[in-house]
Amino acid sequence: CCKMSIQPSSTSAPATPTVKFGRGIVKLVLSGDALIVRGQPKGGPPPEKQINLSNIIAPKQGRRANMNIPDSVDTVDEPFAWQARENLRKKCIGKEVHFVIDYAPNNDRCYGTVYLGTDTTGENLNLMQVQEGFAEVRRVNVRSDNTEHASLIEAEDQAKATGRGKWVEPRPDDAVRNISWTIENSRNFVDSYRGQPIPAVIEHVRDGCTMRASLQTHHQITFMLSGVKCPMIKRDPEDPKKEIAEPYAAEAKFFVESRLLQRDVKIILEGVSNQNTLLATVLHPNGNITEILLREGFGRCVDWSIASYSLGADKLRAMEKQAKERRVRIWKDYVAKVQEVITGEREFSGKVLQIINADAIAVKTSSGEVRTLHLASVRPPSKETQEPPKGKGRPLYDVPYMFEAREFLRKKLIGKKVNVKIDYIKPSSIATETLTAFPERTCATVTCAGINIAEALVSKGLVKVVRHRQDDDARSSRYDDLLAAEQRAVKTCKGVNSKKEPPIHRVADVSGDVAKAKQFLPFLQRAGRSDAVVEYVFGGSRLKLFLPKETCLITFLLAGIDCPRGARNGAQGVMEADAFSEDALALTKEHCMHREVSVEVETIDRAGNFIGWLFVEGINMSQLLLENGLSKLHFTAERSSFYRSLQSAEEKAKMQKMNIWSQYVEPVAHVKTEEPTERKTNYRSVYVTEVSPDLHLYCQFSDVGSKLDTLMEKMRGMMITDPPLPGTYQPKRGEHCIAQFSQDNMWYRARIEKVENDKLHVQYIDFGNKEVIPSSRVASLPSEYNTGALLPQAHQYALALVNPPNDADSLGDAFRTLCDLVANVQLKLNVEYKDGSIDHVTLVNQDESINVGKSLVTDGFCTVAKRGEKRLQKMLTEFYAEQNKAKKQHLNLWRYGDITEDDASEFGYNK
Ligand SMILES: *[C@@H]1O[C@H](CO)[C@@H](O)[C@H](O)[C@H]1NC(C)=O
Ligand SMILES: *[C@@H]1O[C@H](CO)[C@@H](O)[C@H](O)[C@H]1NC(C)=O
Ligand SMILES: *[C@@H]1O[C@H](CO)[C@@H](O)[C@H](O)[C@H]1NC(C)=O
Ligand SMILES: CC(=O)N[C@H]1CO[C@H](CO)[C@@H](O)[C@@H]1O
């Protein structure tokens, strides 16, 4: 080889090299006879020098074919080339050396003798390689008096004689490496090591997180560190020879190079990127570089590969957090993103009441509050890929894997206790394309019996993990677990990651289809008890059921009861909610929502709703509602076999005055079917709070007054501490609200009777008076003050045996007189009879000397209303006597004579 022939011996070098000797750290060993030394940096990158060891020649290593040279092929090692390199590397890599330049024909080439340590007294590496049989001595152009050369030759002879290094006989099989330059199937390759650390040498560092290594098995691999990304050094797209380094890229590279290059390490192969690059972690006895890079601000965590990191992603996050807080290197300008504040408790436990979606549940906390929670950092299956649903939108059955996700959550969670940790609040937003508004969401990590529910869903491929923006910390507190679970799910082709067609659910929706329901009825009747899953609870006695065996959806009404109903559209517009409808709904929801139940269908109603009995965990729901005073027994229950127990359930609730029976008076007299002949009195103290122009009276019971006062006081307190935001309340007809009475500017409970532009007609439900007020004077009525807490306190009555006059003037006179009679006095009230829906009463003062109704007759403001009841006859006679006296005296109505004669015929009265 011509190059060799021009190399002179060390002692005969006539040329004067620019550097005669020097010191440095061995950065890289190129072969058994060449290395690169790195000098001390003097600001800027440290100077480097390649030195070929003079006078010796080591076997050449095989090389990979150079793509840029035509016909280039892979070459194999000369025997022992690798061992020679390794021998030198192990001796000196990273160590300080002293070198003496023997000959340097130009800047690129340089021959020298290298000593371990700081001067020529250290071990001579040139000699060492020869002694150990890993290099031969060059024998050209050597003067005979060269003692150094002589000792090299002596060493070589010795090595040959003792069969050291390459001189061993017979030559072993592994003298030539079997190099694999490329990996055929990266995925299989990674799997074949199953996470075992493989001894390796790092051969090249491209940037902080990308390097090349030769494994013990002589596989040459290029890999990226899992979980971290360092600033990159890229080629300039304009000029391929130029490199563009991101800030800190060179520093990161140097940091890694000086610690890992050509060091003995172990590599854990962990995954394969989309670009087919291996993902790995490097173990060095002094620690692992991934954590250190993050801690020193040389890199950031990357979500896409952090799940591959096998030593615990949480450590990487912690290191990155530390670096951010210290604002070190790449984080020097880091500003923490302001997050939506989480108010109230961050961690709590509760019972799952409802599965709202594949990623959302309703939880009842220990304080009784029901909260909607979204599972943090996951996305439910969506219908994006689906064609638009035909007919009725039933995403639960039509969106792939939605049903499976719901079922998983339902079976695992419904009715169970869960622990909730709120991770972040996702502010409300509007999708720019569709203009869909998304309300604010509370996103949490939910665990049940130690299982992270989101993680379980992800690992079954039933939801996907949200890819957050790099610096977005609003994410699950167990985000890396989710990523790892997703990686497993992808690998094992679970759920949405499967190549198979998603399962299809053909479900017949019979609800609301009268014809279909009728056809179906006989099947269900014959079936006796059928299994069902409660899909939804509309009201205390109204549910939507899925019958898995029949794969159909039906609307189901609980038989045998009359359950208070919520506000609804009736023939006369919106009908107000019945009292306790909310409580009944809550009870049924808590027991039935998403539960597996069994039903016995009896019949259907005209709208195609099935009516029957529903059992959940041994409870007959109709009976439970009766027991809790949240329904009344319906006469149709009589024919059922449950009648006796239903009846006694209702009886018990009545006796305990539960809920709808809170005003219940035990029917001492009513039990008798015979009509009583004696009038009974059972006076109750009242205040009349309002008289309507048709002479109806609104009364409050004195004994409930303090309850009302307390409620109003609390309610008004709330209006001060937590005043309503103007414009947030949308008043609706029939609804209860809080209204500010124009006379005293105080807040009262009211009912909206009519909405007229920005004017509202309201009636104050505890006082009975009505007025028209601007809508700015009403606010929504929180449920704790609504009629569930206390029924409306203004009770409407009419006066017994009293007929209001027909003409407006006389009615006005009677009205004013009545007002004077009842104003500001405590009166006693006895119910005499019911006419229409209204109780007719006798009102007397405390010592019973004044009878309000009778007074109106006595003074000729009203006439007597005849009644047939025997028990009223005595009183009726007294009233007629008064009326006759008034007639005679021509009082008021009787000023012009006897009016009853004409009016009786005109108005159809039968006297
Ligand atoms: C110096 O060593 C390197 C690495 O082994 C080798 O490629 C190169 O050819 C050597 N140079 C000379 C002039 O021998
Ligand atoms: C070299 O390695 C490859 C793959 O690792 C193997 O298929 C081949 O048989 C080996 N060759 C020799 C000569 O050992
Ligand atoms: C990773 O490196 C850190 C810091 O150097 C060290 O504390 C830790 O023990 C290392 N972990 C492993 C598994 O080597
Ligand atoms: C037949 C049946 O299941 N009856 C149940 C009805 O519900 C009550 C509880 O409300 C149970 O005690 C009964 O056993």
Side-chain angles (χ1 to χ4, degrees):
C1 166
C2 59
K3 268 186 192 159
M4 282 175 213
S5 63
I6 58 163
Q7 187 195 11
S9 80
S10 58
T11 46
S12 67
T16 29
T18 42
V19 182
K20 282 218 173 99
F21 55 86
R23 266 209 240 165
I25 304 284
V26 177
K27 172 191 166 183
L28 191 68
V29 174
L30 298 166
S31 62
D33 57 6
L35 43 75
I36 294 177
V37 174
R38 169 186 286 155
Q40 286 297 318
K42 298 191 183 79
E48 291 179 359
K49 197 162 195 60
Q50 178 180 329
I51 303 168
N52 286 30
L53 302 183
S54 39
N55 294 324
I56 69 166
I57 178 164
K60 286 197 168 17
Q61 296 166 86
R63 280 170 174 271
R64 188 170 185 194
N66 186 337
M67 313 275 208
N68 300 323
I69 298 170
D71 303 329
S72 163
V73 290
D74 295 345
T75 60
V76 296
D77 282 351
E78 288 175 11
F80 295 101
W82 173 248
Q83 288 83 343
R85 203 288 309 255
E86 285 294 274
N87 195 56
L88 185 58
R89 179 183 71 80
K90 289 201 165 116
K91 197 85 195 179
C92 67
I93 188 72
K95 297 209 174 125
E96 188 161 27
V97 291
H98 177 84
F99 59 85
V100 177
I101 301 301
D102 300 319
Y103 173 65
N106 57 44
N107 279 346
D108 292 338
R109 290 194 231 150
C110 170
Y111 299 89
T113 307
V114 179
Y115 303 87
L116 277 184
T118 53
D119 52 38
T120 54
T121 60
E123 186 176 6
N124 179 332
L125 296 180
N126 304 40
L127 181 61
M128 186 274 296
Q129 281 294 75
V130 177
Q131 278 171 336
E132 301 196 358
F134 288 115
E136 287 178 44
V137 181
R138 293 180 195 271
R139 292 171 194 257
V140 283
N141 292 340
V142 181
R143 292 218 304 257
S144 55
D145 62 344
N146 186 329
T147 53
E148 231 172 280
H149 196 258
S151 54
L152 283 175
I153 293 202
E154 191 188 319
E156 183 185 290
D157 291 342
Q158 184 82 33
K160 279 181 183 162
T162 52
R164 300 195 71 183
K166 63 182 261 186
W167 310 114
V168 70
E169 292 287 354
R171 183 183 289 168
D173 289 343
D174 64 358
V176 175
R177 278 182 297 169
N178 181 5
I179 306 175
S180 307
W181 294 109
T182 53
I183 308 293
E184 285 280 305
N185 181 330
S186 307
R187 168 70 48 205
N188 286 353
F189 185 69
V190 169
D191 289 348
S192 68
Y193 285 99
R194 271 166 287 153
Q196 292 300 311
I198 314 160
V201 178
I202 303 294
E203 299 288 357
H204 175 71
V205 174
R206 190 197 294 164
D207 56 45
C209 59
T210 316
M211 36 203 116
R212 186 156 51 73
S214 47
L215 303 184
Q216 192 182 35
T217 52
H218 305 308
H219 285 98
Q220 307 294 307
I221 61 165
T222 298
F223 66 92
M224 278 196 281
L225 294 173
S226 311
V228 67
K229 184 164 177 289
C230 295
M232 304 254 274
I233 301 167
K234 290 182 193 143
R235 278 194 215 297
D236 187 345
E238 310 272 290
D239 174 2
K241 279 189 212 118
K242 240 168 77 187
E243 283 181 335
I244 306 175
E246 290 171 1
Y248 298 104
E251 289 88 336
K253 177 180 168 169
F254 178 69
F255 186 86
V256 173
E257 217 172 55
S258 56
R259 283 160 180 79
L260 293 188
L261 189 59
Q262 280 198 342
R263 301 309 203 287
D264 285 309
V265 296
K266 287 190 173 142
I267 290 180
I268 306 178
L269 295 175
E270 292 168 320
V272 179
S273 80
N274 289 340
Q275 276 77 42
N276 215 25
T277 308
L278 296 170
L279 295 171
T281 289
V282 177
L283 297 180
H284 184 275
N286 296 341
N288 54 68
I289 198 74
T290 316
E291 284 181 28
I292 299 170
L293 282 169
L294 288 167
R295 190 187 69 202
E296 296 302 322
F298 280 123
R300 57 176 70 227
C301 290
V302 279
D303 295 337
W304 69 265
S305 70
I306 200 162
S308 300
Y309 185 73
S310 52
L311 304 179
D314 48 338
K315 280 208 212 118
L316 301 189
R317 299 281 185 196
M319 293 291 169
E320 185 192 67
K321 188 154 171 268
Q322 217 185 76
K324 279 179 179 173
E325 278 160 9
R326 284 165 36 229
R327 307 268 186 293
V328 55
R329 300 203 171 87
I330 63 168
W331 305 113
K332 71 176 176 4
D333 301 320
Y334 173 73
V335 185
K337 225 183 115 202
V338 184
Q339 273 200 25
E340 212 71 12
V341 211
I342 300 172
T343 49
E345 277 182 298
R346 282 194 84 121
E347 291 187 40
F348 53 87
S349 59
K351 181 173 145 184
V352 177
L353 288 192
Q354 187 181 347
I355 311 303
I356 296 168
N357 197 351
D359 68 338
I361 57 176
V363 171
K364 186 175 174 181
T365 67
S366 49
S367 65
E369 189 193 359
V370 178
R371 300 191 64 168
T372 296
L373 300 166
H374 281 80
L375 299 177
S377 298
V378 299
R379 196 153 39 81
S382 65
K383 45 177 181 256
E384 284 154 39
T385 53
Q386 279 299 96
E387 51 201 77
K390 302 172 201 92
K392 272 196 234 178
R394 297 176 313 170
L396 179 61
Y397 306 100
D398 296 339
V399 175
Y401 295 104
M402 181 86 102
F403 184 73
E404 282 73 17
R406 202 290 303 269
E407 281 297 275
F408 174 79
L409 290 179
R410 190 180 69 73
K411 289 184 176 147
K412 196 125 219 139
L413 295 184
I414 200 74
K416 300 273 169 57
K417 184 182 163 230
V418 291
N419 290 317
V420 176
K421 178 175 181 204
I422 296 178
D423 293 327
Y424 57 98
I425 307 285
K426 193 174 173 203
S428 56
S429 61
I430 292 179
T432 39
E433 274 173 31
T434 55
L435 291 179
T436 324
F438 296 103
E440 184 184 274
R441 290 176 163 193
T442 302
C443 300
T445 296
V446 176
T447 53
C448 180
I451 291 170
N452 177 355
I453 293 305
E455 189 183 343
L457 277 171
V458 172
S459 61
K460 291 190 174 320
L462 298 176
V463 295
K464 296 203 141 197
V465 179
V466 174
R467 304 292 157 171
H468 294 286
R469 276 198 321 277
Q470 191 62 251
D471 290 330
D472 187 359
D473 292 332
R475 52 173 76 191
S476 164
S477 49
R478 306 267 290 271
Y479 189 64
D480 294 329
D481 294 347
L482 300 183
L483 290 174
E486 181 152 81
Q487 199 178 45
R488 292 195 300 273
V490 170
K491 203 168 158 185
T492 52
C493 301
K494 289 275 166 57
V496 292
N497 307 301
S498 154
K499 311 275 181 296
K500 285 189 285 192
E501 283 292 304
I504 293 172
H505 304 282
R506 291 187 210 287
V507 173
D509 196 346
V510 175
S511 57
D513 187 335
V514 184
K516 259 200 216 167
K518 275 189 183 150
Q519 274 178 14
F520 201 48
L521 178 65
F523 288 100
L524 287 180
Q525 283 172 326
R526 245 179 285 140
R529 284 214 179 183
S530 309
D531 291 332
V533 173
V534 177
E535 288 291 350
Y536 200 73
V537 178
F538 299 106
S541 64
R542 189 184 184 84
L543 309 94
K544 182 147 189 170
L545 304 182
F546 174 61
L547 306 179
K549 215 166 109 211
E550 294 80 4
T551 58
C552 73
L553 286 166
I554 62 172
T555 308
F556 188 84
L557 308 178
L558 296 180
I561 55 170
D562 184 6
C563 184
R565 298 208 277 156
R568 57 209 179 268
N569 284 317
Q572 281 90 41
V574 180
M575 293 170 78
E576 203 183 331
D578 302 332
F580 297 103
S581 62
E582 285 298 316
D583 304 70
L585 170 65
L587 186 77
T588 303
K589 238 183 168 173
E590 182 152 1
H591 279 85
C592 298
M593 188 62 151
H594 294 326
R595 302 299 176 106
E596 282 156 30
V597 300
S598 55
V599 292
E600 279 174 29
V601 170
E602 291 208 324
T603 181
I604 53 172
D605 69 5
R606 272 180 306 169
N609 302 313
F610 291 85
I611 303 172
W613 308 96
L614 181 145
F615 306 91
V616 54
E617 288 167 356
I619 292 173
N620 176 344
M621 241 358 252
S622 300
Q623 185 172 334
L624 191 71
L625 285 160
L626 289 170
E627 270 167 7
N628 284 277
L630 290 171
S631 285
K632 291 182 179 173
L633 196 55
H634 192 256
F635 69 91
T636 49
E638 277 174 39
R639 50 171 195 253
S640 103
S641 56
F642 310 117
Y643 184 55
R644 296 281 291 281
S645 43
L646 297 178
Q647 218 180 8
S648 70
E650 182 185 48
E651 204 52 41
K652 255 192 264 162
K654 271 188 190 169
M655 291 305 139
Q656 294 172 30
K657 295 201 187 324
M658 286 176 83
N659 297 319
I660 52 179
W661 304 112
S662 54
Q663 309 277 322
Y664 177 71
V665 186
E666 283 161 47
V668 197
H670 287 206
V671 189
K672 292 189 206 148
T673 44
E674 263 170 68
E675 217 212 304
T677 51
E678 285 294 302
R679 174 177 172 246
K680 288 255 163 66
T681 55
N682 186 5
Y683 280 115
R684 230 176 143 181
S685 257
V686 296
Y687 283 102
V688 176
T689 50
E690 175 72 4
V691 180
S692 71
D694 57 355
L695 308 194
H696 284 180
L697 301 151
Y698 289 90
C699 302
Q700 283 181 358
F701 295 121
S702 314
D703 52 2
V704 200
S706 65
K707 250 186 168 171
L708 177 63
D709 289 346
T710 316
L711 177 128
M712 287 211 296
E713 202 174 301
K714 262 168 64 190
M715 186 180 85
R716 287 173 180 165
M718 174 209 72
M719 294 300 281
I720 293 165
T721 54
D722 191 10
L725 289 177
T728 51
Y729 176 57
Q730 283 293 328
K732 278 199 221 74
R733 192 178 138 193
E735 235 173 40
H736 288 155
C737 64
I738 314 187
Q740 200 175 23
F741 184 42
S742 58
Q743 306 279 306
D744 61 5
N745 282 332
M746 302 279 269
W747 295 96
Y748 295 91
R749 304 199 299 175
R751 179 173 170 274
I752 297 161
E753 304 217 290
K754 195 168 167 195
V755 181
E756 206 175 58
N757 303 324
D758 58 344
K759 287 239 165 59
L760 300 174
H761 295 241
V762 299
Q763 178 171 31
Y764 295 94
I765 60 173
D766 297 314
F767 293 86
N769 54 321
K770 302 181 178 188
E771 69 170 340
V772 180
I773 52 176
S775 56
S776 57
R777 292 179 75 95
V778 300
S780 79
L781 178 61
S783 61
E784 70 242 62
Y785 304 114
N786 210 332
T787 49
L790 185 67
L791 287 171
Q793 287 304 302
H795 303 275
Q796 192 182 3
Y797 298 108
L799 291 167
L801 308 184
V802 173
N803 252 338
N806 294 310
D807 74 291
D809 286 349
S810 305
L811 187 59
D813 293 340
F815 169 72
R816 278 182 293 278
T817 309
L818 178 56
C819 289
D820 290 343
L821 281 169
V822 298
N824 303 321
V825 281
Q826 195 171 9
L827 298 168
K828 298 199 296 184
L829 171 148
N830 188 50
V831 178
E832 307 295 345
Y833 58 90
K834 203 178 193 110
D835 192 357
S837 64
I838 203 159
D839 281 332
H840 285 59
V841 299
T842 300
L843 263 186
V844 295
N845 66 349
Q846 290 298 318
D847 61 10
E848 301 183 23
S849 59
I850 302 171
N851 179 322
V852 174
K854 199 155 128 196
S855 300
L856 290 175
V857 175
T858 309
D859 293 338
F861 286 111
C862 293
T863 55
V864 179
K866 190 171 190 274
R867 294 292 298 184
E869 292 91 341
K870 279 189 197 136
R871 62 188 146 91
L872 298 177
Q873 293 314 307
K874 187 168 164 250
M875 196 159 68
L876 197 59
T877 313
E878 285 169 30
F879 271 52
Y880 275 127
E882 293 300 311
Q883 179 164 292
N884 288 336
K885 271 193 260 169
K887 270 191 203 169
K888 275 192 198 129
Q889 295 171 36
H890 292 285
L891 295 176
N892 294 308
L893 277 178
W894 313 107
R895 271 172 299 198
Y896 312 112
D898 190 339
I899 54 153
T900 50
E901 306 296 319
D902 321 334
D903 286 10
S905 49
E906 194 176 324
F907 291 94
Y909 286 118
N910 267 329
K911 274 239 144 163

